Amino acid sequence: MLDDLVISEAIVKSFMEDFIDSIRLDVAIVGAGPAGLMAGYCLAKKGRKVVIFERKLSIGGGMWGGGMMFNKIVIQKESKRILDELGVKVKEYKEGYYLANSIEAVTGLTFQAVKRGLKIFNLISVEDVMLRKERVTGIVINWSSVQLANLHVDPLSIGSRVVVDATGHSCELARLIEKKVGSYLKTESGGVMGEKPMWAEVGEKTIVDNTKEIYAGLYVAGMAANAVFGGPRMGPIFGGMLLSGEKVARMISERLEKGDSD
Ligand code: 48H
Protein backbone atom coordinates (compact mmCIF):
# COMPACT_ATOMS: atom_id res chain seq x y z
CA MET A 1 0.00 0.00 0.00
CA LEU A 2 1.31 3.43 -0.93
CA ASP A 3 0.65 6.42 1.29
CA ASP A 4 0.50 9.71 -0.65
CA LEU A 5 1.42 11.63 2.49
CA VAL A 6 4.61 9.66 3.05
CA ILE A 7 5.66 10.57 -0.50
CA SER A 8 5.13 14.28 0.24
CA GLU A 9 6.91 14.03 3.57
CA ALA A 10 9.89 12.22 2.03
CA ILE A 11 10.38 14.87 -0.66
CA VAL A 12 10.02 17.93 1.56
CA LYS A 13 12.16 16.53 4.41
CA SER A 14 14.95 15.43 2.12
CA PHE A 15 14.94 18.72 0.18
CA MET A 16 15.08 20.73 3.39
CA GLU A 17 18.03 18.69 4.66
CA ASP A 18 19.91 19.40 1.42
CA PHE A 19 18.92 23.05 1.50
CA ILE A 20 19.91 23.68 5.14
CA ASP A 21 23.21 21.93 4.47
CA SER A 22 23.80 24.42 1.62
CA ILE A 23 23.48 27.64 3.58
CA ARG A 24 27.22 27.77 4.32
CA LEU A 25 29.41 26.76 1.38
CA ASP A 26 32.97 26.66 0.15
CA VAL A 27 31.86 27.51 -3.38
CA ALA A 28 28.54 28.73 -4.78
CA ILE A 29 28.33 28.47 -8.55
CA VAL A 30 25.67 30.45 -10.39
CA GLY A 31 24.54 28.70 -13.57
CA ALA A 32 24.46 25.04 -14.58
CA GLY A 33 25.79 25.44 -18.10
CA PRO A 34 28.89 23.51 -19.22
CA ALA A 35 31.33 25.85 -17.43
CA GLY A 36 29.44 25.79 -14.12
CA LEU A 37 28.90 22.03 -14.26
CA MET A 38 32.55 21.37 -15.08
CA ALA A 39 33.69 23.65 -12.25
CA GLY A 40 31.29 21.85 -9.91
CA TYR A 41 32.56 18.45 -11.01
CA CYS A 42 36.22 19.37 -10.41
CA LEU A 43 35.55 21.02 -7.03
CA ALA A 44 33.40 18.12 -5.84
CA LYS A 45 36.22 15.75 -6.83
CA LYS A 46 38.46 17.77 -4.52
CA GLY A 47 35.97 17.29 -1.67
CA ARG A 48 34.76 20.89 -1.58
CA LYS A 49 31.28 21.81 -0.41
CA VAL A 50 30.00 23.12 -3.70
CA VAL A 51 26.49 23.90 -4.93
CA ILE A 52 25.16 25.14 -8.27
CA PHE A 53 22.08 27.37 -8.36
CA GLU A 54 20.31 27.25 -11.72
CA ARG A 55 17.46 29.49 -12.77
CA LYS A 56 15.89 27.12 -15.26
CA LEU A 57 14.14 23.79 -14.89
CA SER A 58 16.76 22.15 -17.10
CA ILE A 59 20.49 21.94 -16.59
CA GLY A 60 23.09 22.21 -19.35
CA GLY A 61 22.59 25.85 -20.36
CA GLY A 62 23.48 26.39 -24.00
CA MET A 63 25.10 22.98 -24.37
CA TRP A 64 21.78 21.14 -24.08
CA GLY A 65 20.52 22.51 -27.40
CA GLY A 66 23.71 21.88 -29.45
CA GLY A 67 24.00 24.15 -32.48
CA MET A 68 20.69 25.69 -33.54
CA MET A 69 18.84 22.76 -31.90
CA PHE A 70 20.86 20.12 -33.79
CA ASN A 71 21.77 18.28 -30.61
CA LYS A 72 25.45 17.76 -31.38
CA ILE A 73 28.44 19.67 -30.09
CA VAL A 74 31.97 20.11 -31.38
CA ILE A 75 34.98 20.09 -29.11
CA GLN A 76 38.65 20.35 -29.88
CA LYS A 77 41.60 18.09 -29.12
CA GLU A 78 42.66 19.77 -25.84
CA SER A 79 39.31 19.03 -24.22
CA LYS A 80 38.71 15.52 -25.58
CA ARG A 81 40.40 14.07 -22.48
CA ILE A 82 37.64 15.61 -20.33
CA LEU A 83 34.79 13.87 -22.16
CA ASP A 84 36.86 10.66 -22.19
CA GLU A 85 37.22 10.87 -18.39
CA LEU A 86 33.46 11.41 -18.03
CA GLY A 87 32.72 8.40 -20.23
CA VAL A 88 31.01 10.52 -22.91
CA LYS A 89 31.35 9.12 -26.43
CA VAL A 90 33.47 11.30 -28.72
CA LYS A 91 33.98 10.78 -32.44
CA GLU A 92 36.64 12.40 -34.61
CA TYR A 93 35.05 14.35 -37.47
CA LYS A 94 38.19 15.80 -39.08
CA GLU A 95 41.63 16.31 -37.64
CA GLY A 96 41.25 18.59 -34.60
CA TYR A 97 37.42 18.49 -34.59
CA TYR A 98 35.55 16.07 -32.36
CA LEU A 99 31.81 15.48 -32.11
CA ALA A 100 29.64 14.48 -29.15
CA ASN A 101 25.92 14.30 -28.50
CA SER A 102 24.93 17.35 -26.48
CA ILE A 103 22.47 15.44 -24.31
CA GLU A 104 24.99 12.73 -23.52
CA ALA A 105 27.61 15.39 -22.73
CA VAL A 106 25.34 17.30 -20.32
CA THR A 107 23.95 14.22 -18.60
CA GLY A 108 27.36 12.52 -18.42
CA LEU A 109 28.98 15.56 -16.85
CA THR A 110 26.09 16.11 -14.45
CA PHE A 111 25.91 12.48 -13.38
CA GLN A 112 29.64 12.26 -12.67
CA ALA A 113 29.57 15.55 -10.76
CA VAL A 114 26.56 14.67 -8.62
CA LYS A 115 28.04 11.25 -7.86
CA ARG A 116 31.08 13.06 -6.45
CA GLY A 117 29.00 15.28 -4.18
CA LEU A 118 28.00 18.31 -6.25
CA LYS A 119 24.54 19.57 -5.33
CA ILE A 120 22.38 21.34 -7.89
CA PHE A 121 19.34 23.41 -7.06
CA ASN A 122 17.36 24.17 -10.18
CA LEU A 123 14.49 26.67 -10.46
CA ILE A 124 16.36 29.05 -8.15
CA SER A 125 17.62 32.41 -9.43
CA VAL A 126 20.46 34.39 -7.96
CA GLU A 127 19.28 37.98 -7.73
CA ASP A 128 22.00 39.63 -5.67
CA VAL A 129 25.31 39.09 -3.86
CA MET A 130 26.31 39.63 -0.23
CA LEU A 131 29.20 42.05 0.23
CA ARG A 132 31.31 42.55 3.34
CA LYS A 133 34.24 44.98 3.29
CA GLU A 134 34.34 45.12 -0.52
CA ARG A 135 34.35 41.35 -0.82
CA VAL A 136 31.68 38.98 -2.12
CA THR A 137 30.74 36.67 0.73
CA GLY A 138 27.68 34.97 -0.68
CA ILE A 139 24.64 35.12 -2.90
CA VAL A 140 21.00 36.06 -2.57
CA ILE A 141 18.46 33.64 -4.00
CA ASN A 142 14.80 33.37 -4.79
CA TRP A 143 12.53 30.95 -6.62
CA SER A 144 12.59 31.61 -10.37
CA SER A 145 8.79 31.40 -10.29
CA VAL A 146 8.72 34.38 -7.91
CA GLN A 147 10.79 36.39 -10.41
CA LEU A 148 8.71 35.23 -13.36
CA ALA A 149 5.45 36.15 -11.63
CA ASN A 150 6.97 39.48 -10.61
CA LEU A 151 5.92 38.88 -7.01
CA HIS A 152 7.31 40.95 -4.20
CA VAL A 153 8.74 38.17 -2.02
CA ASP A 154 11.98 38.71 -0.14
CA PRO A 155 14.88 36.37 -0.92
CA LEU A 156 17.19 34.25 1.25
CA SER A 157 20.99 34.40 1.57
CA ILE A 158 23.66 31.75 1.09
CA GLY A 159 27.17 32.27 2.49
CA SER A 160 30.13 31.11 0.43
CA ARG A 161 33.91 31.46 0.70
CA VAL A 162 33.98 32.16 -3.02
CA VAL A 163 31.35 32.61 -5.72
CA VAL A 164 31.54 31.76 -9.43
CA ASP A 165 29.63 33.70 -12.06
CA ALA A 166 28.92 31.03 -14.69
CA THR A 167 25.77 32.72 -15.98
CA GLY A 168 26.85 32.71 -19.65
CA HIS A 169 26.36 35.60 -22.06
CA SER A 170 24.51 37.73 -19.50
CA CYS A 171 27.35 37.66 -16.87
CA GLU A 172 24.75 38.61 -14.30
CA LEU A 173 26.88 38.81 -11.16
CA ALA A 174 29.54 40.93 -12.82
CA ARG A 175 26.81 43.29 -14.04
CA LEU A 176 25.31 43.39 -10.55
CA ILE A 177 28.62 44.48 -9.02
CA GLU A 178 29.04 47.09 -11.73
CA LYS A 179 25.52 48.42 -11.16
CA LYS A 180 25.49 48.38 -7.37
CA VAL A 181 29.13 48.96 -6.42
CA GLY A 182 30.60 50.75 -9.43
CA SER A 183 33.33 50.11 -11.98
CA TYR A 184 35.64 48.14 -9.71
CA LEU A 185 35.93 44.94 -11.74
CA LYS A 186 39.45 43.73 -12.57
CA THR A 187 39.04 44.64 -16.26
CA GLU A 188 40.70 47.38 -18.32
CA SER A 189 37.69 49.67 -17.98
CA GLY A 190 36.69 48.52 -14.51
CA GLY A 191 33.32 47.51 -15.94
CA VAL A 192 31.87 44.78 -18.15
CA MET A 193 33.62 45.14 -21.52
CA GLY A 194 30.93 43.29 -23.51
CA GLU A 195 31.06 40.24 -25.75
CA LYS A 196 32.47 40.61 -29.29
CA PRO A 197 31.18 39.01 -32.54
CA MET A 198 31.74 35.38 -33.53
CA TRP A 199 35.33 34.13 -33.90
CA ALA A 200 35.73 30.57 -32.63
CA GLU A 201 39.53 30.40 -32.89
CA VAL A 202 40.09 33.46 -30.70
CA GLY A 203 37.03 33.02 -28.48
CA GLU A 204 38.08 29.54 -27.42
CA LYS A 205 41.52 30.78 -26.38
CA THR A 206 40.44 33.91 -24.61
CA ILE A 207 37.72 32.13 -22.66
CA VAL A 208 40.38 30.26 -20.71
CA ASP A 209 42.67 33.31 -20.28
CA ASN A 210 39.70 35.39 -19.12
CA THR A 211 38.71 32.87 -16.44
CA LYS A 212 39.76 34.68 -13.26
CA GLU A 213 38.78 36.51 -10.15
CA ILE A 214 37.04 39.71 -11.23
CA TYR A 215 36.22 41.16 -7.83
CA ALA A 216 37.31 40.02 -4.37
CA GLY A 217 35.64 36.66 -3.81
CA LEU A 218 33.98 36.53 -7.24
CA TYR A 219 35.31 34.46 -10.16
CA VAL A 220 34.03 34.34 -13.70
CA ALA A 221 33.95 31.23 -15.90
CA GLY A 222 32.61 30.20 -19.30
CA MET A 223 30.92 32.61 -21.69
CA ALA A 224 30.60 35.14 -18.89
CA ALA A 225 34.40 35.44 -18.89
CA ASN A 226 34.47 36.63 -22.50
CA ALA A 227 31.49 38.89 -21.90
CA VAL A 228 33.26 40.52 -18.95
CA PHE A 229 36.65 40.90 -20.66
CA GLY A 230 35.45 41.69 -24.20
CA GLY A 231 36.30 38.39 -25.91
CA PRO A 232 34.44 37.05 -28.95
CA ARG A 233 31.67 34.45 -28.98
CA MET A 234 32.48 31.10 -30.57
CA GLY A 235 29.26 29.33 -31.54
CA PRO A 236 28.55 25.68 -30.68
CA ILE A 237 32.09 24.59 -29.82
CA PHE A 238 32.30 23.72 -26.14
CA GLY A 239 35.87 22.71 -25.32
CA GLY A 240 36.65 26.19 -24.02
CA MET A 241 33.69 26.07 -21.62
CA LEU A 242 34.90 22.79 -20.12
CA LEU A 243 38.49 24.05 -19.87
CA SER A 244 37.29 27.29 -18.29
CA GLY A 245 35.30 25.36 -15.67
CA GLU A 246 38.35 23.22 -14.99
CA LYS A 247 40.59 26.29 -14.66
CA VAL A 248 38.31 28.15 -12.26
CA ALA A 249 38.06 25.03 -10.09
CA ARG A 250 41.87 24.72 -10.04
CA MET A 251 42.31 28.39 -9.05
CA ILE A 252 39.71 28.13 -6.30
CA SER A 253 41.05 24.81 -4.98
CA GLU A 254 44.56 26.25 -4.67
CA ARG A 255 43.20 29.26 -2.85
CA LEU A 256 41.05 27.27 -0.44
CA GLU A 257 43.84 24.76 0.20
CA LYS A 258 46.00 27.66 1.37
CA GLY A 259 43.14 28.50 3.72
CA ASP A 260 42.88 31.80 1.90
CA SER A 261 39.41 33.06 1.20
CA ASP A 262 40.31 36.77 1.30
C1 48H B 1 20.69 31.30 -11.68
C2 48H B 1 21.34 31.69 -13.86
C3 48H B 1 21.34 33.07 -13.64
C4 48H B 1 20.98 33.54 -12.35
C5 48H B 1 21.89 32.74 -15.68
O1 48H B 1 24.72 29.97 -20.94
P1 48H B 1 25.39 28.82 -20.31
O2 48H B 1 25.43 27.55 -21.07
O3 48H B 1 26.87 29.30 -19.89
P2 48H B 1 28.32 28.63 -20.07
O4 48H B 1 29.27 29.74 -19.94
O5 48H B 1 28.47 27.46 -19.20
O6 48H B 1 28.33 28.09 -21.56
C6 48H B 1 28.14 28.95 -22.61
C7 48H B 1 27.60 28.20 -23.82
O7 48H B 1 26.43 27.48 -23.48
C8 48H B 1 27.28 29.19 -24.88
O8 48H B 1 26.30 29.92 -24.70
C9 48H B 1 28.12 29.34 -26.03
C10 48H B 1 29.28 28.45 -26.27
N1 48H B 1 27.83 30.31 -26.84
C11 48H B 1 28.58 30.69 -27.97
C12 48H B 1 27.78 31.61 -28.84
O9 48H B 1 28.39 32.07 -29.83
O10 48H B 1 26.60 31.89 -28.58
O11 48H B 1 24.72 28.53 -18.90
C13 48H B 1 24.45 29.56 -18.00
C14 48H B 1 23.38 29.10 -17.06
C15 48H B 1 22.01 28.99 -17.76
O12 48H B 1 21.49 27.71 -17.53
C16 48H B 1 21.17 30.06 -17.09
O13 48H B 1 19.82 29.70 -16.93
C17 48H B 1 21.86 30.22 -15.76
O14 48H B 1 23.24 30.07 -16.06
N2 48H B 1 21.69 31.52 -15.14
N3 48H B 1 21.03 30.81 -12.90
N4 48H B 1 20.67 32.62 -11.40
N5 48H B 1 20.96 34.85 -12.05
N6 48H B 1 21.68 33.68 -14.80
Side-chain angles (χ1 to χ4, degrees), residues 1-19:
M1 208 187 63
L2 281 174
D3 184 337
D4 303 274
L5 306 187
V6 174
I7 297 171
S8 302
E9 193 181 73
I11 288 174
V12 176
K13 250 192 190 165
S14 159
F15 183 88
M16 284 309 162
E17 276 163 22
D18 278 355
F19 191 77

Side-chain angles (χ1 to χ4, degrees), residues 176-220:
L176 249 166
I177 298 281
E178 190 182 25
K179 186 171 145 214
K180 291 199 168 182
V181 185
S183 294
Y184 297 111
L185 300 178
K186 296 174 186 177
T187 62
E188 249 171 68
S189 66
V192 171
M193 313 271 291
E195 178 190 303
K196 298 289 179 293
M198 183 87 84
W199 190 359
E201 169 73 16
V202 175
E204 283 290 275
K205 284 203 182 87
T206 53
I207 205 92
V208 181
D209 296 342
N210 291 336
T211 298
K212 6 180 157 160
E213 188 178 28
I214 52 163
Y215 188 84
L218 177 65
Y219 288 76
V220 70

Side-chain angles (χ1 to χ4, degrees), residues 30-36 53-56 60-63 124-126 166-170 172 198 221-224 233-235 237-238 241:
V30 187
F53 296 88
E54 166 56 50
R55 166 178 289 155
K56 293 191 179 149
M63 191 150 90
I124 291 183
S125 292
V126 175
T167 60
H169 295 271
S170 56
E172 293 197 14
M198 183 87 84
M223 200 59 226
R233 66 189 301 185
M234 67 295 290
I237 179 156
F238 285 87
M241 300 303 141

Side-chain angles (χ1 to χ4, degrees), residues 60-121:
M63 191 150 90
W64 194 239
M68 217 183 95
M69 298 202 289
F70 298 108
N71 64 2
K72 302 278 180 180
I73 55 165
V74 170
I75 58 155
Q76 52 279 65
K77 200 170 182 183
E78 302 89 286
S79 39
K80 181 180 174 293
R81 63 174 170 79
I82 296 175
L83 293 189
D84 288 344
E85 177 183 319
L86 297 168
V88 172
K89 198 161 74 210
V90 177
K91 201 171 127 191
E92 187 169 25
Y93 176 67
K94 278 186 180 175
E95 207 192 323
Y97 298 81
Y98 295 86
L99 270 168
N101 178 285
S102 65
I103 292 169
E104 186 183 348
V106 170
T107 51
L109 173 53
T110 307
F111 180 64
Q112 296 295 349
V114 169
K115 272 213 312 193
R116 283 164 178 81
L118 172 71
K119 279 204 188 93
I120 303 175
F121 289 108

